[in-house]
C-alpha cells in the first residue's frame, strides 16, 4: 500500500480479510435501553474489534482505485484519516484480565434470563450479487454486538475504560467530519485530470459503498458516545429517537430550506411549502437522518421553482409535502412545479458530481461535516440522501414530468429490522 509503513500496511491487509458485522436499528435500540457499565464495556469491545475491520476495508479500496483516482491529493487525505483512525484503534489498550473476569462473571448466560435481540432481515439495498460475492461467513450479531451484563457492582476500571474509549471515538469522529466533502473534491480533481464531466460506473459504485460504510461507522460511534452520556434525552436511545415525530422534523426541514433558499437567492418572498401530515405520526428513527433527507429534497425543489419562475417573480407555485403511513413504510412525497427533469437525465441525478450548478472549489483546510458544504455544486444531495434512506431499509425515488415538475418519494422502513447494507 502506497504511503503506509510496511508493518502497518500488513495489519490493514490482515483486518480487511475479516467480514463486517451488520446491526439493525431495532437491535441498537433494544441493546441500548438502560445499559449497565458492563454492557457498555461489551459494546466497546465489539467496536474495538469491528471498527478496525470496517476502516481497513475502506483503506484497501481507496488504495486500489483506478485511473490515478487513488493519487488525487484529496483522496490521499481521506486515506490518511482512515489509516490514522485504524492505527489509533488497534493500539488502544486491550481490556485487562481483571476487568474481563469481573464482566464475564456478571454476564447473563442462562437463556431464560438473557434478553434476545430481534432477528435481522436482509436490507433491500444489498443485492444477491454483493452477498454471494463474500467468501466469509458473517456470524450472528447476538454473538458479537450484545452481551447483557447484570447491573452488579464492577471495578471502577470498567467505567474508566469506557470513558477513555469514548474519548478516542470522539477524536475519530471529529477527524472524519470532512470526509464527504474532501472525497468529493478528490473526484473533482479526478474529473479535471481526465477532462470529463461524468464519472464511470466503477467509481459510482465505489462511492456508494464508501459512503454507506461511512454512515455505518458514524452511526456505531455516535451511538456508543451517546449511550455513555450520564443523561439521555426523553424518548432517545443514543442517537435514535423511539418516538420521532414526523411532522415536527419535516417542518423544521421546511423552515431551514426556506431560510437557505431566501438567503442564497436574496428573495423577499420564498416559495410556499404546504405540509400534509398527521400531527401525531411517530416512529423509531434517527431524526438527524430524516431531517437531512427531507431538507435536501426541499432544497432541490425550491431551487427548481425559483430558477424556472425567476428570482423576481411576484408569486411561486407552492411545493407540497404529503406524508402517508403504511404497515411497512412511512412515505414522504415532495411535489414541485419546477419544470421537471428530462427523461434521458433521470438516471444521471443519482450520479455523484452530476449537477447543473457550478462546482465550487473547497479550501484545502475545509473541515466541516457532511452537509455544511455550499448550497449546490457537488451533486451529492440526492445520491447521499438515497444512501441514508437505504441504510435502514428505505429508498428514494423520483418521478418527473418534463415541462411541469417532479415528485420525489422518500420511503422509510417503520419496521426497523433491516441489517446494515455492508459491502
Amino acid at each position: 500500500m502506497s504511503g503506509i509503513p510496511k508493518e502497518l500496511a500488513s495489519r490493514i491487509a490482515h483486518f480487511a480479510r475479516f467480514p463486517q458485522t451488520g446491526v439493525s436499528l431495532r437491535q441498537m435500540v433494544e441493546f441500548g435501553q438502560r445499559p449497565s457499565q458492563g454492557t457498555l464495556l461489551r459494546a466497546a469491545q465489539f467496536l474495538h474489534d469491528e471498527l478496525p475491520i470496517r476502516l481497513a476495508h475502506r483503506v484497501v479500496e481507496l488504495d486500489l482505485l483506478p485511473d490515478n483516482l487513488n493519487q488525487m491529493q484529496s483522496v490521499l487525505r481521506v486515506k490518511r484519516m482512515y489509516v490514522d483512525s485504524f492505527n489509533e484503534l488497534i493500539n488502544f489498550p486491550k481490556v485487562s484480565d481483571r476487568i474481563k473476569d469481573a464482566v464475564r462473571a456478571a454476564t447473563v448466560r442462562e437463556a431464560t434470563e438473557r434478553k434476545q435481540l430481534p432477528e435481522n432481515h436482509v436490507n433491500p439495498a444489498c443485492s444477491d450479487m454483493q452477498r454471494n460475492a463474500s467468501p466469509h461467513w458473517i456470524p450472528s450479531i447476538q454473538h458479537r454486538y450484545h452481551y447483557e451484563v447484570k447491573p452488579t457492582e464492577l471495578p471502577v476500571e470498567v467505567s474508566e475504560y469506557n470513558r477513555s474509549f469514548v474519548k478516542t471515538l470522539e477524536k475519530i469522529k471529529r477527524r472524519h467530519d470532512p470526509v464527504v466533502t474532501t472525497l468529493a473534491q478528490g473526484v473533482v480533481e479526478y474529473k479535471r485530470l481526465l477532462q470529463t464531466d461524468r464519472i464511470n460506473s466503477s467509481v459510482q459504485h465505489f462511492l456508494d459503498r464508501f459512503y454507506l460504510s461511512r454512515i455505518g461507522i458514524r452511526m456505531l460511534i455516535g451511538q456508543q458516545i451517546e449511550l455513555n452520556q450520564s443523561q439521555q434525552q426523553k424518548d432517545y436511545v443514543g442517537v435514535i429517537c423511539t418516538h420521532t415525530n414526523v411532522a415536527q422534523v419535516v417542518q423544521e426541514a421546511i423552515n431551514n430550506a426556506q431560510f437557505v433558499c431566501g438567503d442564497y437567492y436574496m428573495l423577499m418572498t420564498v416559495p410556499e411549502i404546504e405540509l400534509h401530515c398527521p400531527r401525531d405520526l411517530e416512529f423509531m428513527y434517527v431524526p438527524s437522518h430524516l431531517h437531512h433527507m427531507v431538507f435536501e429534497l426541499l432544497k432541490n425543489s425550491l431551487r427548481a421553482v425559483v430558477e424556472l419562475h425567476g428570482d423576481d417573480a411576484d408569486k411561486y407555485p407552492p411545493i407540497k409535502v404529503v406524508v402517508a403511513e403504511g404497515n411497512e413504510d412511512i412515505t414522504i412525497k415532495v411535489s414541485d412545479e419546477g419544470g421537471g427533469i428530462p427523461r434521458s437525465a433521470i438516471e444521471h441525478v443519482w450520479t455523484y458530481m452530476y449537477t447543473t450548478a457550478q462546482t465550487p472549489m473547497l479550501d484545502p483546510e475545509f473541515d466541516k461535516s457532511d452537509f455544511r458544504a455550499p448550497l449546490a455544486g457537488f451533486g451529492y444531495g440526492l445520491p447521499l440522501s438515497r444512501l441514508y434512506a437505504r441504510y435502514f431499509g428505505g429508498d428514494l425515488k423520483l418521478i418527473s414530468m418534463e415541462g411541469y415538475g417532479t415528485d420525489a418519494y422518500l420511503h422509510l422502513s417503520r419496521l426497523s429490522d433491516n441489517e446494515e447494507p455492508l459491502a
Side-chain angles (χ1 to χ4, degrees):
M1 296 182 194
S2 60
I4 304 174
K6 186 176 180 180
E7 184 179 348
L8 182 57
S10 177
R11 298 200 71 180
I12 289 171
H14 171 72
F15 274 80
R17 295 189 189 102
F18 290 96
Q20 303 166 94
T21 302
V23 184
S24 73
L25 185 69
R26 188 168 295 279
Q27 284 182 335
M28 291 185 194
V29 169
E30 291 288 337
F31 159 72
Q33 291 175 334
R34 298 177 298 280
S36 66
Q37 282 296 319
T39 305
L40 289 173
L41 180 72
R42 286 290 203 171
Q45 288 178 293
F46 168 78
L47 291 184
H48 199 184
D49 291 338
E50 178 66 16
L51 290 177
I53 293 172
R54 296 195 184 196
L55 293 168
H57 276 266
R58 303 285 73 86
V59 173
V60 169
E61 197 163 25
L62 283 166
D63 196 63
L64 296 176
L65 287 174
D67 302 328
N68 288 322
L69 177 55
N70 58 356
Q71 296 303 312
M72 299 298 104
Q73 286 303 309
S74 297
V75 175
L76 291 172
R77 278 185 65 203
V78 171
K79 188 170 83 168
R80 173 50 55 189
M81 294 177 200
Y82 276 70
V83 170
D84 289 347
S85 296
F86 173 87
N87 196 32
E88 200 163 351
L89 283 167
I90 62 173
N91 287 304
F92 188 83
K94 296 285 186 182
V95 178
S96 69
D97 289 340
R98 179 169 180 261
I99 295 177
K100 280 182 182 178
D101 291 342
V103 173
R104 192 179 293 119
T107 299
V108 175
R109 298 185 181 280
E110 296 299 326
T112 54
E113 296 181 68
R114 192 185 308 131
K115 179 172 68 175
Q116 293 291 330
L117 292 190
E119 184 183 352
N120 274 352
H121 288 82
V122 175
N123 193 306
C126 291
S127 66
D128 290 339
M129 185 179 299
Q130 286 175 308
R131 300 193 144 268
N132 295 336
S134 175
H136 304 291
W137 171 69
I138 298 179
S140 171
I141 198 69
Q142 282 88 345
H143 297 307
R144 296 194 62 188
Y145 181 60
H146 177 259
Y147 290 89
E148 192 169 358
V149 181
K150 298 173 185 175
T152 55
E153 188 171 338
L154 293 168
V156 67
E157 290 93 337
V158 174
S159 56
E160 289 175 352
Y161 186 93
N162 285 336
R163 282 195 295 270
S164 178
F165 189 65
V166 163
K167 285 182 181 178
T168 297
L169 292 180
E170 289 172 337
K171 181 180 177 182
I172 290 172
K173 192 167 184 284
R174 285 193 301 272
R175 176 185 293 134
H176 288 248
D177 275 348
V179 161
V180 168
T181 45
T182 305
L183 190 55
Q185 189 62 59
V187 179
V188 172
E189 296 164 7
Y190 169 73
K191 286 170 61 179
R192 288 176 179 165
L193 175 69
L194 297 186
Q195 297 182 331
T196 180
D197 60 350
R198 299 274 171 83
I199 60 174
N200 60 40
S201 59
S202 65
V203 175
Q204 172 77 15
H205 293 150
F206 156 74
L207 291 172
D208 276 343
R209 291 191 302 272
F210 188 90
Y211 288 135
L212 265 176
S213 172
R214 171 181 163 77
I215 293 169
I217 289 170
R218 291 181 76 82
M219 186 70 200
L220 290 176
I221 288 177
Q223 188 71 357
Q224 185 73 4
I225 291 171
E226 288 301 316
L227 288 177
N228 275 273
Q229 301 305 312
S230 56
Q231 289 188 331
Q232 289 280 309
Q233 298 181 58
K234 184 178 181 294
D235 295 330
Y236 272 78
V237 178
V239 297
I240 303 163
C241 181
T242 55
H243 297 285
T244 301
N245 186 287
V246 179
Q248 288 179 6
V249 176
V250 172
Q251 187 60 57
E252 183 181 352
I254 288 172
N255 296 341
N256 290 344
Q258 286 180 316
F259 174 81
V260 170
C261 177
D263 182 63
Y264 187 80
Y265 291 103
M266 295 182 289
L267 301 176
M268 294 295 293
T269 304
V270 298
E272 180 185 356
I273 301 177
E274 301 174 0
L275 175 59
H276 305 275
C277 175
R279 292 291 157 184
D280 59 351
L281 177 56
E282 297 178 340
F283 77 130
M284 185 166 63
Y285 211 71
V286 182
S288 60
H289 287 195
L290 176 58
H291 178 278
H292 167 69
M293 291 183 288
V294 176
F295 173 78
E296 286 295 333
L297 293 177
L298 292 171
K299 194 173 67 173
N300 284 347
S301 289
L302 286 165
R303 178 170 172 245
V305 168
V306 171
E307 294 192 357
L308 178 67
H309 297 275
D311 56 13
D312 56 350
D314 294 330
K315 190 175 181 181
Y316 297 99
I319 294 166
K320 297 178 182 177
V321 181
V322 179
V323 182
E325 178 183 14
N327 292 327
E328 294 183 7
D329 287 349
I330 287 174
T331 303
I332 301 173
K333 181 175 77 167
V334 178
S335 303
D336 66 57
E337 297 177 33
I341 304 167
R343 193 156 51 92
S344 61
I346 279 288
E347 284 306 309
H348 297 317
V349 303
W350 304 115
T351 303
Y352 297 94
M353 314 307 297
Y354 176 81
T355 177
T356 55
Q358 183 177 0
T359 301
M361 289 295 290
L362 292 181
D363 186 278
E365 301 306 314
F366 184 88
D367 64 352
K368 298 295 186 291
S369 57
D370 297 19
F371 310 113
R372 296 181 64 184
L375 176 80
F378 277 111
Y380 265 50
L382 284 175
L384 274 184
S385 294
R386 184 166 70 169
L387 291 185
Y388 269 86
R390 288 179 169 179
Y391 179 71
F392 284 128
D395 208 351
L396 174 59
K397 298 181 179 180
L398 296 183
I399 298 178
S400 192
M401 294 174 63
E402 186 181 8
Y404 181 76
T406 302
D407 289 347
Y409 292 85
L410 177 60
H411 301 279
L412 307 169
S413 172
R414 64 181 309 173
L415 302 179
S416 307
D417 58 358
N418 290 281
E419 68 178 21
E420 300 171 272
L422 301 173

